[in-house]
Each structure stands twice: as structure tokens, then as C-alpha cells.
Amino acid sequence: GAVVSQHPSRVICKSGTSVKIECRSLDFQATTMFWYRQFPKKSLMLMATSNEGSKATYEQGVEKDKFLINHASLTLSTLTVTSAHPEDSSFYICSAREEGVGGYTFGSGTRLTVV
Amino acid sequence: QKEVEQNSGPLSVPEGAIASLNCTYSDRGSQSFFWYRQYSGKSPELIMSIYSNGDKEDGRFTAQLNKASQYVSLLIRDSQPSDSATYLCAVVPGSGSARQLTFGSGTQLTVLP
């Protein structure tokens, strides 16, 4: 089945620094990937839709300058949390849909802690 | 009104019983429906997908879809303690080109040994 690899799985960073999270589709091409954020005991909140070769589409209330998304190839999307603050601490999850197959495969998630 | 709503739970069932999870959605044009299972601290994993009215069975899991009532459910037969997790209903809205998933708030299921 389709596999999505997400790295790192866990990261601790200092306030003010930037963190990059990678999401790769390993055995299929994904023109579109999705980035979610999840707070404890809450559901997944869509942050943005990442489009290969073009700008990401951000959901209302998500700061595009803070959460930089790059989808430079058909198998890789990255999310960079810039100038991180403690309130950015969360579980970030990417997802990709294999065209023509249906179903959405999720990466294993990244637990970000900003101290 | 939330786009995807699930019974809030938590839901507890004894081992071997049937667990019933329910979900309603607001976009009548929605065509794709999914159930995901999420263990604490992990990312969601796909349990079932359903696209047409009726029942779809896969092992101990049965998904049921009723588009007229805008309702989708998941039945878990012979529930096992390992089924204890949060179950997320997800829907792809009918409009929009990106076809992103919209999630319900999840139902926490506990299967008691």
C-alpha cells in the first residue's frame, strides 16, 4: 500500500528558531499533500493544502509567513515553522492522496515542542 | 453547524460486543467517506472507505452510508481491547478541487476486557 514518510518524528527547539518537517510519498506521486495540526484530545485541523509546483493554499487563520510550505517535487512537501513560539507546540501530520486510488495516507506525525 | 459531527463519547463496550460509531455530515454533495483509527500519540490509520449507499464489510468492520440522511456509521463486531482508540470520521466535501479531508471531532472507544 501507499506509504508516506514524515521526519522528524519528534523535535524540541528553542523559541525563535525555525523547524523544518519533511513529508515524502515513498511509492507514489502526490501532486497534492495536506498538512494538519492536532492539539491534545482534539481532532485534526487542516492547516494548508500543498500543491506541487505552486503556492500552498492556507486555511483561514493560518499564518502563511509563519508556516512555510514548499512542494518542490511530486514526492516531497516540507513545512517550516518559522520563529517558533511555545504556542506552536503541537502534533503536526501530513497526508497524501494517491491519484486514482482513493484513500488518504498519513505520515507518522511530528511532535514539536518549543521551549 | 459543524461540517462533520460524531457522537462525542467516550464509548465503552465489553470485549466481544459490537461497537457502533456514528457520524453525520452537512455537505449533501459529499462523495467520499472514511473511518480512521488513531491511537494516542500516533497518526490516523485508514480503517474503511465507503463511496456508495449501503453497507461495506471488511473483516470485523462494517461501514454504512446513507446519503439521503447524510449519515455514515462504523460497526465493529467482536470488539477487542486492541480496538480501544479514537475513531475519526472524515468526509471529502463535494465542492473544491483539492479534495481535502474534513474530520469530525472523533469518538474515543474503550473495549473492556
Side-chain angles (χ1 to χ4, degrees):
Chain A
V3 177
V4 172
S5 174
Q6 184 173 345
H7 292 281
S9 58
R10 188 179 296 268
V11 59
I12 301 173
C13 71
K14 292 185 178 180
S15 289
T17 62
S18 296
V19 173
K20 180 185 284 189
I21 302 169
E22 291 190 349
C23 181
R24 294 181 183 272
S25 56
L26 296 187
D27 48 4
F28 66 99
Q29 293 183 333
T31 56
T32 305
M33 292 186 179
F34 306 96
W35 287 96
Y36 294 86
R37 181 175 183 177
Q38 187 176 35
F39 291 106
K41 299 191 183 300
K42 299 293 184 183
S43 190
L44 281 73
M45 181 190 77
L46 180 67
M47 298 176 65
T49 300
S50 171
N51 305 297
E52 188 268 335
S54 65
K55 292 182 179 180
T57 304
Y58 290 82
E59 295 300 300
Q60 190 173 8
V62 178
E63 299 177 59
K64 63 179 68 175
D65 294 332
K66 180 167 188 60
F67 298 100
L68 299 179
I69 290 173
N70 183 278
H71 194 154
S73 77
L74 287 171
T75 59
L76 174 64
S77 175
T78 61
L79 168 67
T80 301
V81 183
T82 63
S83 187
H85 290 279
E87 56 264 32
D88 298 326
S89 300
S90 189
F91 192 46
Y92 293 87
I93 311 172
C94 71
S95 172
R97 178 176 179 270
E98 187 174 7
E99 295 297 327
V101 174
Y104 296 71
T105 303
F106 284 83
S108 55
T110 297
R111 176 77 56 192
L112 171 63
T113 303
V114 184
V115 298
Chain B
Q1 180 185 5
K2 291 184 179 178
E3 295 182 37
V4 181
E5 294 201 48
Q6 296 183 241
N7 48 340
S8 56
L11 175 66
S12 294
V13 299
E15 185 174 357
I18 296 175
S20 177
L21 306 166
N22 305 313
C23 174
T24 58
Y25 58 95
S26 60
D27 184 347
R28 187 169 288 278
S30 299
Q31 297 294 324
S32 305
F33 308 87
F34 305 90
W35 282 99
Y36 286 85
R37 176 175 62 196
Q38 186 177 29
Y39 293 111
S40 180
K42 303 295 184 182
S43 68
E45 57 178 319
L46 181 66
I47 297 296
M48 293 283 285
S49 60
I50 188 166
Y51 305 98
S52 55
N53 281 327
D55 296 358
K56 179 180 178 182
E57 186 175 317
D58 184 1
R60 296 185 296 112
F61 299 94
T62 299
Q64 299 174 317
L65 174 62
N66 184 325
K67 290 186 178 180
S69 300
Q70 294 173 242
Y71 174 91
V72 58
S73 67
L74 179 70
L75 299 177
I76 307 175
R77 291 182 299 281
D78 188 23
S79 295
Q80 301 297 309
S82 58
D83 295 327
S84 298
T86 296
Y87 288 79
L88 300 165
C89 173
V91 176
V92 176
S95 60
S97 59
R99 296 176 56 78
Q100 63 266 38
L101 286 170
T102 300
F103 284 89
S105 56
T107 299
Q108 186 177 344
L109 171 67
T110 301
V111 180
L112 304 170

